[in-house]
Amino acid sequence: METVTQRLRNIGIVAHIDAGKTTTTERILFFTGMIHKIGEVHDGQAVMDFMKQEQERGITISSAAITTKWREHQVNIIDTPGHIDFTLEVERSLRVLDGIVMVFCAVGGVEPQSETVWHQADRYKVPRIAFINKMDRPGADFFHTIEMMNEMLGANAVPFQLPVMNDLELEGIIDLVTMKVITYDSLLRVVSEIPEEYRAQSEKMRENLITRLADFDETLMEKYLNEEEITVEEIVPAARRAVMGICITPVFCGSAFKNKGIQLLLDAVVDYLPSPVDRGIVSGHDVNNPEITVSRKPSEKRPYSALAFKIINDAFVGQQTFIRVYSGTLKAGSYIYNSSKDKRERVGRIMRIHADRREEVAELKAGDIGALIGMKYTTTGDTLCDEDNPILLENIHYPETVLDLRVEPASKNDREKLSHALSKLKLEDPSFNAHFDDETEETVISGMGELHLEVIVDRLKSEHKVDVVVGEPAVAFRETINREVNHEYRYKKQTGGKGQFAHIIYRLEPNHGRGLEFVDLVKGGNIPREYIPAVEKGFRLTAGKGLLAGFPMVDLKFVLVDGGYHEVDSSEMAFRICTEQALRVVIHKAAPRLLEPLMKLEINTPDEYIGDIIGDVNRRRGKIGNMRRHRKGSQKLSGTVPLMEMFGYASTLRTLSSGRANFSMEFLEYAPLPKDLAEKIIHDKNEAKKMAS
């Protein structure tokens, strides 16, 4: 017997910017009866783009969730951004989804953000189907897009449909599973037999579909080899199993803007993408011992577990915490345990979200996605569970910030208001950061790119009513060390009353790719246990402020080896100050160096501009490492380039290519800055400190 959870689909609509994700989602809502008037992205009327900043720019910024129904199945949809600056929105959505619809533009094919999203989905092992959109556009090429998917993504893409084209018009769609053609009379679907001129190609492509499925299904293979007829009832479950095993990517086509192919895509979501039951057991680990694995079956009868994946501050209902329920049942008014924070939380109300509208419900069950009202301690990535049966689920991967921006309230009276607004924005968006620079007495916000910070500033002004003065964007440099160093430091201060004493013996080590790490090796009580956290706090605070030029330190390990204390004069504060001073006096011996963000760069350009573009990238200290055919007469250039050299690049590229080339950047890694540039940045930073003081 099929359960409610088996009739549930948690899916994401993901793609490169401008491939038509939001338009596709709007048509899905229309054909499932959720909306009765179709909104368009270009006129700011799309239901899923309900933020003011989204409507003004015509792009998706924040992932929006909505619940609808199709063929007696509940479908929870998350429409995600396509711009690289908002990649965290895609990351945290993929963490909680069971399947995705990858939307490709039939003209652009596989574009830079398509690759990024695809690899993010690989990380979380999310099954996917593909929808080639914009088949009515000049230059649309269904088969070339599939070729790009296989070549660039390793997608094992298999056409499940064929487009029927009449010049530039998508006249109909051939369903290779049922071997019928679907044409459109206004919004109505008309199903008929395949025209004779398409019969041979359709039969050939259906045989290709079956042979590809037979590679993963012994029953189909046996029937195919025996030349027996294979029915729809045999193809669908075999394809479903292949999709769930991420063995193939079924490919569908249409034109969302022209309302073509959407119902067939919805059928594919129900037929081929997994339910929470199909995705199976979710694993986490024991709260007290990360080595012990704990699992939860997606059943309403198992202990409750869920992951908080997004927070929104709403002017009407307050903070909404979006969660994905993995097991059990959560009821409004009940108490739950936040195992990430070791806190109890009371669930005030439970909402099922319809983009910017809400429906209050009494409970959420295994597999559901919804929002909780009333959470005090829960932030993105936290696990919520049954206190008697705790579990800690895998957290969400957060990308590094690469760009800083100095902001100041227009009025000094608004300083506290600005701080409060930034705290709320940080809670909503973990890829955004903010801190107060004590030396320059300025607030610095950090983000994923210029558009990301532009939207943050816009939200400060429009949502939080804080008028701010904005400086110029600056690269977010980092500091690290190149050499291991051992050191001993004694902090002793005697005043009129009680003195201060702390003694530490420690080692600093490079810790490439692992961030900041603190290791305690003290034995025999030479430093009492209650003072160890103070040493770690001193290390993290000092490293966070930087020791070379005031930039946060990364990839640094602090190993506390031994030390000593005084029964009267030692305190937590003494050990914290001791650690801070110890780091400052020894850092020059550890070969400190500055790091800069290195970006992965992709440029699509007509052939005739390649030489000029590569020359310009080289002048920017960049390297083009790969060239491959993008479309006829154009190439995709891939390489790396320092972010600090890329300000104003969009206008330069337009000039070099007569406006015909486009580019995309995303953070790759932090890399050492050349010595001469590092010395200049350190000098400028020190001069700025002198002026501020």
Side-chain angles (χ1 to χ4, degrees), residues 65 113 121 128 140 233 285 298 371 381 412 473 477 545 647 673:
Q113 185 66 357
R128 65 214 77 162
E233 290 72 22
H285 58 78
K412 287 189 177 180
F477 296 104
K545 293 177 181 176
F647 291 105
L673 196 64

Side-chain angles (χ1 to χ4, degrees), residues 193-206:
E193 296 301 318
I194 297 172
E196 196 57 40
E197 63 265 33
Y198 287 97
R199 173 64 62 178
Q201 185 191 21
S202 301
E203 288 175 352
K204 181 183 175 184
M205 295 305 296
R206 190 177 199 265

Side-chain angles (χ1 to χ4, degrees), residues 38 41 80 94-95 132 273 275 302 322 325 456 501 637:
I38 297 172
V41 174
T80 61
L94 288 171
R95 172 67 182 83
I132 298 180
L273 288 178
S275 71
R302 296 300 167 111
F322 282 72
V325 182
I456 291 289
F501 179 86
L637 312 180

Side-chain angles (χ1 to χ4, degrees), residues 388-404:
D388 295 328
N389 297 276
I391 185 174
L392 205 53
L393 300 170
E394 180 192 351
N395 206 322
I396 296 168
H397 170 77
Y398 301 135
E400 288 273 2
T401 59
V402 295
L403 212 61
D404 290 344

Side-chain angles (χ1 to χ4, degrees), residues 549-573:
F551 298 108
M553 300 197 77
V554 295
D555 299 342
L556 176 66
K557 182 190 282 189
F558 183 103
V559 182
L560 182 60
V561 179
D562 205 351
Y565 75 105
H566 188 280
E567 287 189 358
V568 176
D569 292 346
S570 288
S571 65
E572 289 184 20
M573 184 175 74

Side-chain angles (χ1 to χ4, degrees), residues 65-262:
I66 198 160
T67 299
T68 188
K69 291 196 171 181
W70 185 255
R71 279 175 37 191
E72 299 182 350
H73 285 67
Q74 179 181 313
V75 183
N76 295 325
I77 303 170
I78 295 181
D79 173 35
T80 61
H83 196 287
I84 192 64
D85 281 14
F86 308 104
T87 187
L88 175 68
E89 290 291 333
V90 183
E91 185 84 28
R92 57 183 172 187
S93 298
L94 288 171
R95 172 67 182 83
V96 298
L97 292 170
D98 297 320
I100 59 174
V101 177
M102 280 288 302
V103 180
F104 295 94
C105 172
V107 181
V110 176
E111 296 174 278
Q113 185 66 357
S114 313
E115 291 186 77
T116 301
V117 172
W118 190 272
H119 297 316
Q120 285 175 307
D122 282 340
R123 182 186 299 144
Y124 294 113
K125 297 181 172 61
V126 183
R128 65 214 77 162
I129 61 176
F131 180 64
I132 298 180
N133 190 29
K134 302 191 178 184
M135 285 300 305
D136 54 329
R137 290 269 302 276
D141 193 328
F142 179 72
F143 289 105
H144 180 54
T145 302
I146 291 174
E147 187 183 311
M148 291 176 76
M149 288 173 64
N150 288 325
E151 180 188 329
M152 297 167 65
L153 305 175
N156 201 5
V158 181
F160 273 51
Q161 294 176 346
L162 287 178
V164 177
M165 304 298 296
N166 182 6
D167 291 329
L168 294 178
E169 188 68 28
L170 178 65
E171 204 168 72
I173 296 167
I174 294 170
D175 185 338
L176 297 174
V177 177
T178 62
M179 288 299 280
K180 300 286 184 184
V181 65
I182 294 87
T183 52
Y184 294 87
D185 180 6
S186 185
L187 293 174
L188 295 175
R189 286 190 291 174
V190 179
V191 181
S192 55
E193 296 301 318
I194 297 172
E196 196 57 40
E197 63 265 33
Y198 287 97
R199 173 64 62 178
Q201 185 191 21
S202 301
E203 288 175 352
K204 181 183 175 184
M205 295 305 296
R206 190 177 199 265
E207 185 173 352
N208 171 68
L209 187 159
I210 290 169
T211 56
R212 300 283 287 278
L213 288 178
D215 289 340
F216 310 102
D217 190 287
E218 289 183 10
T219 305
L220 275 192
M221 177 64 79
E222 189 176 333
K223 293 194 77 171
Y224 177 71
L225 292 175
N226 291 331
E227 297 185 356
E228 297 177 38
E229 185 184 347
I230 296 173
T231 65
V232 173
E233 290 72 22
E234 291 168 317
I235 291 175
V236 171
R240 182 180 176 80
R241 287 189 294 271
V243 170
M244 289 192 292
I246 317 182
C247 302
I248 67 165
T249 305
V251 181
F252 305 88
C253 64
S255 168
F257 186 65
K258 298 283 183 66
N259 308 310
K260 294 176 180 179
I262 300 300

